[in-house]
């Protein structure tokens, strides 16, 4: 960045550097970060439609792909009302606090070998810290809109996100212990490309730690079954009841963006990030592209799983949410932490056959699950032409009146 | 409407640390996403835990009982669909039975069979909506769309039978308006064969889900004695363990010809009479209704579907109290006739009116999220409460 | 009470005919009970003096062999010709599966009946509805207010001589028909 | 809550959530059920044509076979049908000057089409009745005063009235099957 600015301007002062950084930041945010949040909305609405026997957006752009752009423009044009009883400054500031929480996390996400904005040596610690800014924004929104439903939503989100930071943090520690460093790139470097070299299959404790981290991350992202702060059927719209127009969109863009951040962190910590099996050292561009592709696929698979969970499970109640965190997730997370520590003492260089065994066990579990899916299909008595494996198909079930 | 009658005295406690806490008074409704129809609850809550939930009804009061006195006996039949538009057929049947009992009209066998088919389909139709919207109130949106998708099939069948999708106006005094159209019988049988496994799929998706059962078990437990005391009827009563169904215990129409059993709450996930029991009784009742419709379609006799009833219908003076099993339980029609062409008085006692009167009792110390579950499990529907 | 034991569903105790029920009532309360009227099972009824309605109902509810544990329906009927408002109680017994109807006549200009909300909890709301729509005052009712109509609604709609007010708080209650002659 | 219950809770949660996800996964491969009304229907298909014969949509009156007997006006519980017919010796029958139906108030109950002797007032499968003003919701069927139809003894001979009458009779036959008991067995 320094040489780039020196080349451009004769004797650059700090103003030029600031301008260049802001310009670069703007390009990255508006060119990459916000479209990712938008594309996640499109993935969610198409998958949700398919699960609910309907189609989902398919009018704007090819297969409805530009739906998020249409929503964005619509929200920009919509009037955003600030209720006069609301505390205006806080009310207006809340969405931007939430957005900084979401966009800030992209700094340390490793999209490829060289493709990282800043390879901080405190990578995962920084991301955990930045993503907890979201709770400040939501609480601010809930309290400042001076509406009882929003207050309830805000308080719920404070209780939820703060208490789920603990199991999330605790299940990151085994990975950090295994890789010996906090920086995201070095965590990935410790893992190999092959599935049995990933940290998830390293030992049974990290296998369980993966699920605990995923559940806790869902709670932090306010995703079902933990979407209590913005529970449509109970609190009208939760903390976002009084918001409208662009402010409302900022909240939900942050929510879907956080969903991608969860996918990215899970892919980095547990699934070997952008590691690809082939070296391809001599031609770097396809190598980086391939790395970026594998990272993208891995994180989007877990975004798909989160969406799939959202359209299957009901919502948990506030007290059950606290019980689940403090009585189930936190103790298990401690067990995993101690287990991994003991594992590293017993097998300093990794147990010989355990990763492969765990990999096979996971494959068997997946097989059982697919058998159960086929059982549901046969029981519902669906004929061949009522099925279609193309998820974007919009053609209707034949034979319906 | 104001808050007259709802003055909730606000308790201000100062706990030991000198910190003053105050109860929050919330008005949930009449425009609220999960009060089914226009219902309003004034809630006094300490944080999330409710101290009191006072229902405030009357927003959908069209005074159907006054309209009955203005339009003739035949003219009131379309209005009975509006008494409970979620399950309209039983209401038609109630009014028709009341008029037939007053004028001692004998409905031909095929007409009674058509009525039973229509009522049982309307019961499945209403239970699907109730079960689907209950899952949505607890937070799962997919079961709602699956339930509504199955409900659309029944809409199409009933649309072909009587020409309307919600307010059917299918039955007439003395029988039913139309006979089964040709080919309808096979479509109905095919639908039942396709629908029964989908109930099990719905159960696997949501009913046995741990989060769902945790949200519903041991919530708002109603004992059998309280249920009878508050005159809870239908699935709400059977959920509390009382095995009572008007179709079997006070037989009317041709129900004695069919055999079906009465599902009762057994407290599988918690205690007998909690929200889960009322919900699971509704699901099992759908299967029973499928059994009845299948037997009905197989034993369908020939002959006319309506008796000769004069267009200017004047039943002899007198009164009658008809009870029939609607989707929301035993619906009582008290009808008085004074021999003229206009009904003198018609009082409709419905299941939801009794069910909402128990909400203040069961909703003490529940959480706000539970109140939504209680409203959904009691299957409250605004038109039936306010009439 | 026996109501709950009917959980098994099979009829625990024999159902009494309306005449038998009426005979026991007559034996107990003498002339406070009118004679048996009605042609079919569902409308066999007896009129009861307003003053005695609470004892009669307590007797019907707690007497072994009767046990009417459910007030199935409570409706008010306005008879301007006899200048009387008649309140009809349809009682039902779950253990016995038998039903009986009581009718109470009160003068139309000042209808007052003792409340039954002490005996059956559902009577509370049903009486409030009859008060709201017909203006019958139920003495001793814990919370006698209008239930369906707004608090300040003039008159009682289900009375035969009710004339709907032109407008309510500025909102007109009628819309001239579009089908002008 | 003993350790057994603790572990059983976790097992129940895991198994039932997995089963629920299996059901939704099976839906990922099923085709949608929804019709893309109104702009992406299959070629040449009009939704109104797919509706069953008995569908009670917007009302329509065939003045050619209307005998001005006012049966429908009496039968309507909402009084949303108004007919002005005066006896006119010169024209030899009733002359109708007005036949209005207020479609805004109509509740599509079908009570008017039942007593009609010739089936002239009947429901059509048309359901798209949205309009810009309440006044325009009033359907005025009589443009110019018309002589009421008198059913002929030996059946209709006039070629362009016969098909209308035949359609009307078929509409009534649908109800007649209610009386006549023409079930398909």
């Amino acid at each position: 960045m320094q040489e780039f600015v020196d080349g451009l301007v004769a004797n650059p002062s700090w103003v030029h550097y600031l301008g260049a950084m802001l310009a670069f930041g703007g390009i990255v945010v508006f060119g990459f970060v916000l479209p990712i949040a938008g594309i996640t909305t499109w993935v969610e609405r198409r998958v949700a439609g398919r699960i609910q026997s309907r189609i989902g957006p398919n009018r704007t752009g090819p297969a409805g792909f530009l739906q998020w752009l249409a929503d964005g423009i619509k929200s920009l044009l919509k009037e955003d009302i600030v209720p006069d009883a609301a505390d205006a400054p806080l009310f207006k500031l809340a969405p931007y606090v939430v957005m900084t929480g979401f966009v800030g996390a992209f700094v340390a996400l490793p999209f490829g070998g060289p493709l990282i904005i800043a390879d901080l040596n405190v990578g995962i610690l920084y991301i955990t810290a930045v993503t907890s800014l979201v709770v400040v924004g939501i609480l601010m929104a809930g309290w400042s809109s001076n509406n009882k439903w929003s207050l309830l939503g805000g308080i719920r989100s404070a209780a939820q996100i703060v208490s789920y930071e603990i199991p999330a943090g605790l299940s990151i520690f085994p990975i950090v212990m295994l890789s010996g460093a906090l920086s995201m790139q070095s965590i990935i470097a410790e893992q190999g490309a092959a599935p049995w070299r990933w940290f998830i299959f390293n030992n049974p404790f990290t296998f369980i730690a993966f699920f605990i981290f995923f559940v806790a991350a869902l709670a932090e992202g306010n995703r079902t079954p933990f979407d209590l702060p913005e529970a449509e059927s109970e609190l009208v719209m939760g903390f976002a009841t009084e918001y409208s127009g662009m402010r409302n969109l900022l909240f939900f863009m942050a929510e879907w963006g956080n969903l991608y951040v969860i996918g990215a962190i899970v892919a980095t910590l547990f699934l070997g990030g952008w590691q690809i099996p082939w070296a391809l050292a001599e031609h770097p561009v396809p190598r980086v592209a391939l790395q970026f592709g594998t990272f993208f696929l891995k994180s989007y698979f877990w975004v798909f799983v989160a969406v799939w969970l959202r359209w299957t499970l009901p919502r948990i109640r506030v007290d059950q949410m606290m019980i689940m965190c403090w009585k189930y997730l936190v103790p298990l997370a401690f067990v995993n932490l101690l287990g991994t520590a003991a594992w590293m003492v017993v097998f300093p260089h990794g147990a010989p056959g355990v990763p492969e065994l765990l990999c096979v066990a996971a494959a068997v579990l997946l097989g059982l699950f697919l058998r159960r899916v086929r059982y549901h299909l046969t029981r519902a008595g669906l004929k061949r032409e009522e099925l279609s494996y193309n998820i974007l198909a919009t053609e209707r079930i034949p034979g319906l009146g | 409407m104001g808050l007259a009658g709802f003055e909730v005295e606000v308790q201000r406690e100062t706990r030991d640390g000198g910190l003053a806490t105050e109860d929050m008074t919330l008005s949930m409704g009449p425009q609220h996403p999960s009060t089914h129809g226009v219902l309003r609850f004034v809630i006094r809550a300490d944080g999330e835990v409710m101290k009191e939930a006072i229902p405030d009804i009357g927003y959908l009061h069209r005074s159907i009982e006054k309209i009955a006195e203005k339009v003739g006996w035949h003219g009131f039949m379309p209005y009975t669909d509006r008494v409970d538009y979620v399950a309209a057929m039983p209401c038609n049947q109630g009014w028709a039975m009341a008029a037939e009992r007053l004028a001692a009209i004998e409905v031909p066998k095929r007409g009674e069979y058509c009525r039973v088919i229509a009522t049982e389909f309307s019961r499945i139709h209403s239970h699907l909506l109730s079960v689907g919207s209950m899952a949505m109130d607890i937070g799962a949106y997919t079961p709602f769309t699956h339930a509504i998708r199955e409900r659309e099939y029944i809409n199409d069948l009933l649309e072909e039978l009587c020409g309307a999708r919600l307010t059917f106006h299918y039955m007439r005094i003395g029988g039913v308006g139309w006979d089964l159209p040709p080919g309808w019988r096979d479509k109905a049988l095919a639908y039942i064969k396709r629908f029964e496994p989908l109930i099990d799929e719905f159960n696997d998706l949501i009913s046995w889900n741990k989060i769902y059962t945790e949200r519903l078990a041991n919530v708002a437990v109603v004992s059998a004695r309280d249920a009878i005391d508050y005159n809870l009827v239908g699935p709400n009563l059977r959920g509390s363990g009382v095995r009572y169904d008007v179709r079997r215990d006070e037989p009317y129409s041709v129900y004695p010809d069919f055999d079906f059993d009465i599902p009762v709450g057994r407290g599988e996930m918690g205690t007998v009479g909690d929200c889960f029991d009322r919900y699971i009784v509704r699901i099992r009742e759908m299967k029973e209704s499928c059994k009845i419709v299948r037997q009905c379609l197989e034993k369908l006799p020939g002959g006319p579907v309506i008796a000769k009833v004069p267009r200017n219908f004047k039943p002899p003076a007198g009164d009658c109290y008809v009870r029939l099993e609607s989707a929301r339980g035993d619906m009582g029609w008290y009808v008085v006739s004074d021999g003229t062409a206009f009904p003198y008085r018609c009082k409709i006692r419905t299941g939801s009116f009794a069910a909402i009167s128990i909400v203040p009792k069961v909703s003490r110390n529940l959480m706000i999220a539970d109140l939504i579950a209680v409203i959904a499990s009691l299957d409250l529907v605004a038109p039936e409460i306010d009439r | 009470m026996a109501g709950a034991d009917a959980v098994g569903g099979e009829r625990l105790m024999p159902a009494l005919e309306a005449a038998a029920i009426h005979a026991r009532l007559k034996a107990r309360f003498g002339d406070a009970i009118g004679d048996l009227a009605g042609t079919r099972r569902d409308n066999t009824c007896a009129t009861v003096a307003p003053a005695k309605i609470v004892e009669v109902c307590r007797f019907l509810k707690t007497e072994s062999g009767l046990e009417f544990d459910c007030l199935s329906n409570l409706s008010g009927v306005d008879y301007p010709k006899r200048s009387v408002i008649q309140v009809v109680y349809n009682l039902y017994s779950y253990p016995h599966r038998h039903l009986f109807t009581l009718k109470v006549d009160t003068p139309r200009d000042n209808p007052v009946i003792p409340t039954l909300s002490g005996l059956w909890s559902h009577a509370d709301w049903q009486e409030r509805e009859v008060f709201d729509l017909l203006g019958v005052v139920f003495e001793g009712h814990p919370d006698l207010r209008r239930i369906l109509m707004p608090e300040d609604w003039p008159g009682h709609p289900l009375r035969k001589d009710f004339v709907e007010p032109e407008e309510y708080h500025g909102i007109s209650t009628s819309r001239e028909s579009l089908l002008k002659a | 809550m003993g350790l057994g219950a603790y572990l059983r809770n976790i097992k129940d949660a895991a198994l039932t959530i997995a089963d629920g996800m299996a059901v939704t996964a099976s839906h990922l491969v099923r085709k949608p059920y929804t019709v893309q009304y109104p702009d992406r229907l299959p070629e040449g298909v009009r939704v109104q044509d797919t509706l069953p014969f008995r569908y009670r949509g917007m009302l329509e009156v065939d003045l050619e076979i209307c005998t001005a007997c006012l049966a429908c006006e009496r039968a309507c519980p909402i009084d949303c049908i108004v007919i002005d017919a005066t006896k006119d010796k010169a024209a030899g029958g009733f002359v109708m000057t007005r036949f209005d139906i207020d479609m805004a108030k109509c509740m599509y109950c079908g009570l008017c089409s039942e007593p009609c002797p010739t089936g002239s007032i009947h429901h059509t499968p048309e359901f798209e009745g949205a309009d810009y003003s309440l006044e325009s919701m009033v359907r005025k069927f009589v443009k110019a005063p018309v002589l009421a139809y008198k059913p002929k003894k030996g059946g209709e001979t006039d070629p362009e009235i016969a098909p209308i009458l035949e359609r009307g009779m078929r509409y009534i036959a649908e109800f007649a099957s209610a009386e006549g008991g023409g079930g398909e067995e």
Side-chain angles (χ1 to χ4, degrees), chain A residues 51-54 148-149 151-152 156 224-225 227 231-236 310-320 372 375-376 379-381 386 397 400-401, chain B residues 24-28 32-34 47-48 136-142 145-146 149 153 197-198 200-201 204-206 209 211-212 214-215 219 367-370 372:
Chain A
I51 284 181
Q52 297 180 347
S53 321
R54 53 187 174 82
K148 289 183 181 122
W149 301 111
L151 180 66
L152 278 176
R156 279 184 179 184
T224 302
D227 66 346
E232 284 87 5
S233 52
E234 286 152 25
L235 305 177
V236 186
R310 172 174 185 176
W311 300 103
T312 314
L313 299 181
R315 184 178 306 118
I316 217 160
R317 209 176 43 203
V318 181
D319 56 333
Q320 291 164 348
R372 183 71 184 170
Y375 162 75
H376 283 305
R379 181 179 59 179
E386 283 176 348
I397 286 263
L400 277 183
Chain B
M24 183 163 65
T25 312
L26 266 164
S27 161
M28 176 186 281
H32 185 273
S34 52
E48 286 270 344
M136 186 164 72
D137 289 349
I138 309 284
Y141 298 96
T142 310
T145 35
H146 293 176
R149 176 195 71 209
Y153 279 104
L198 291 183
D200 303 334
E201 178 181 290
D204 288 346
L205 174 62
I206 193 75
N209 190 305
I211 299 173
Y212 196 70
E214 270 319 301
R215 276 291 301 272
V219 170
M367 310 196 74
I368 291 181
D370 288 335
I372 310 280

Side-chain angles (χ1 to χ4, degrees), chain B residues 18-45:
Chain B
L19 197 61
T21 66
E22 189 181 300
D23 290 346
M24 183 163 65
T25 312
L26 266 164
S27 161
M28 176 186 281
Q31 283 81 19
H32 185 273
S34 52
T35 51
H36 303 225
V38 269
L39 283 177
R40 173 169 171 254
F41 289 89
V42 177
I43 301 172
R44 184 160 59 84

Side-chain angles (χ1 to χ4, degrees), chain A residues 94-372:
Chain A
Y96 303 111
V97 172
V98 173
M99 277 303 284
T100 44
F102 148 59
V103 172
F106 274 76
V107 167
L109 286 186
F111 293 100
L115 280 183
I116 183 164
I117 298 171
D119 181 7
L120 309 169
N121 48 23
V122 283
I124 187 65
L125 191 63
Y126 162 78
I127 289 180
T128 324
V130 162
T131 44
S132 65
L133 255 178
V134 171
V135 73
V136 175
I138 291 178
L139 195 56
M140 212 190 280
W143 206 335
S144 70
S145 30
N146 196 6
N147 161 349
K148 289 183 181 122
W149 301 111
S150 327
L151 180 66
L152 278 176
I155 304 293
R156 279 184 179 184
S157 97
Q160 172 176 314
I161 296 180
V162 163
S163 53
Y164 275 87
E165 291 280 349
I166 314 285
L170 280 176
S171 42
I172 291 173
F173 285 165
I175 304 302
V176 171
M177 277 197 297
L178 280 173
S179 70
L182 279 171
S183 128
M184 301 293 260
Q185 293 291 24
S186 53
I187 290 177
I188 291 180
E190 283 298 314
Q191 303 171 55
W196 49 86
R197 291 280 314 290
W198 293 343
F199 275 146
I200 184 171
F201 297 124
N202 190 296
N203 58 43
F205 298 106
T206 50
F207 188 73
I208 299 170
F210 166 76
F211 289 105
I212 292 177
F213 179 78
F214 188 65
V215 168
L218 279 184
E220 265 172 60
N222 293 340
R223 295 289 301 180
T224 302
F226 303 99
D227 66 346
L228 290 137
E230 169 251 329
E232 284 87 5
S233 52
E234 286 152 25
L235 305 177
V236 186
M237 268 299 278
F239 60 89
T241 312
E242 296 300 337
Y243 282 84
S244 56
M246 196 52 195
R247 287 198 189 88
N248 199 0
L249 187 79
L250 285 181
F251 274 122
F252 291 107
M253 195 182 289
E255 187 195 325
W256 272 295
N258 271 335
L259 185 57
Y260 176 74
V261 168
I262 293 169
I265 298 173
V266 159
T268 322
L269 293 183
F270 291 94
L271 306 175
W274 42 260
Q275 296 268 12
I276 47 170
W278 312 281
L280 290 173
E282 57 287 358
H283 20 73
V285 173
R287 185 164 62 82
V288 169
L290 212 54
Q291 285 170 350
F292 181 78
T294 43
F295 182 78
F296 215 76
L297 272 180
K298 282 182 186 168
S299 45
Y300 253 89
F301 175 71
W302 287 101
V303 165
F304 164 73
V305 168
V307 163
W308 179 12
L309 261 173
R310 172 174 185 176
W311 300 103
T312 314
L313 299 181
R315 184 178 306 118
I316 217 160
R317 209 176 43 203
V318 181
D319 56 333
Q320 291 164 348
M321 177 257 290
M322 297 308 272
I323 289 170
M324 182 167 169
C325 173
W326 295 104
K327 283 194 178 162
Y328 286 89
L329 291 187
V330 168
L332 285 179
F334 272 122
V335 164
N336 289 338
L337 183 60
L338 298 179
T340 321
W343 191 273
M344 285 170 69
V345 164
V346 171
F347 304 102
H349 306 298
V354 168
E356 288 73 11
L357 189 69
L358 275 175
C359 211
V360 164
V364 163
L365 273 178
L366 197 62
L368 284 175
F369 180 75
L370 290 178
R371 207 162 59 83
R372 183 71 184 170

Side-chain angles (χ1 to χ4, degrees), chain B residues 57 61 66 69 101 225 228-229 231 241 243-244 250 319-321 323 344-345 347 349 354 356 387, chain C residues 1 7 40-43 71-73 75-76 78 80 92 103 121 125 129 147 149 157 159-160:
Chain B
I57 57 174
H61 176 58
K66 186 80 178 176
E69 293 157 14
R101 221 171 253 189
R225 186 159 302 108
I228 291 173
D229 199 27
N231 197 4
R243 188 181 296 276
Y244 179 85
E250 298 282 341
D319 65 348
C320 76
Y321 182 57
R323 293 174 63 212
Y344 190 77
R345 168 77 165 106
K347 156 86 186 184
R349 202 259 318 134
I356 196 169
R387 291 179 304 282
Chain C
M1 233 174 359
V7 167
R40 290 179 311 281
R41 177 171 179 275
D42 60 281
N43 73 350
L71 171 68
S72 177
N73 185 15
S75 28
D78 177 18
Y92 185 71
K103 293 191 177 179
S121 319
W125 272 42
E129 183 186 346
I147 193 167
M149 305 305 286
R159 289 199 174 199
K160 293 290 178 185

